[in-house]
Amino acid sequence: MKEYAGNKRYVKPSDAKEGDTVLVKRDDSKKKSDTPYDSRPLNIAERKGCMVTAENDDGIQVTRNSSFFKNVPTAKEENATTEKQGDSSDVAAPMHSDPAPF
């Protein structure tokens, strides 16, 4: 029954692991000008099923459902993504010999 409901609702499993850096979603009582996620990064301290406990540098813990967290890409991941995009841009677009008429 759970698998059927998961397939019907297009559920995506969370890939957050202990030690990952994440941002936590703000509550609905935010101003329009605020971002949807709190800008202070947290580290995942514990994970139990879909319940995630994250902790900041001051030791304050936040426990929420995994859907309230967003992974923050690390510098290594950003560099790998940039390199992959750079490789595809090396291929030059075909050039036409005749100019377009005006």
Side-chain angles (χ1 to χ4, degrees), residues 14-17 19-27 34-45 47 52-57 60-74 77-78:
S14 174
D15 57 351
K17 302 177 293 292
D20 284 355
T21 304
V22 294
L23 298 176
V24 67
K25 191 178 276 192
R26 295 180 195 252
D27 59 351
D34 288 343
T35 59
Y37 290 91
D38 192 358
S39 62
R40 295 172 293 196
L42 304 168
N43 293 320
I44 295 180
R47 184 180 170 129
V52 176
T53 302
E55 187 175 6
N56 67 3
D57 294 335
I60 297 173
Q61 292 187 341
V62 175
T63 303
R64 301 275 189 281
N65 186 294
S66 62
S67 63
F68 282 77
F69 292 98
K70 174 180 168 181
N71 280 348
V72 176
T74 60
E77 292 174 3
E78 287 179 4

Side-chain angles (χ1 to χ4, degrees), residues 7-33:
N7 290 335
K8 216 42 181 159
R9 293 184 176 92
Y10 305 103
V11 175
K12 183 176 81 169
S14 174
D15 57 351
K17 302 177 293 292
E18 287 186 23
D20 284 355
T21 304
V22 294
L23 298 176
V24 67
K25 191 178 276 192
R26 295 180 195 252
D27 59 351
D28 289 338
S29 64
K30 63 181 176 79
K31 296 183 216 173
K32 262 185 157 178
S33 61

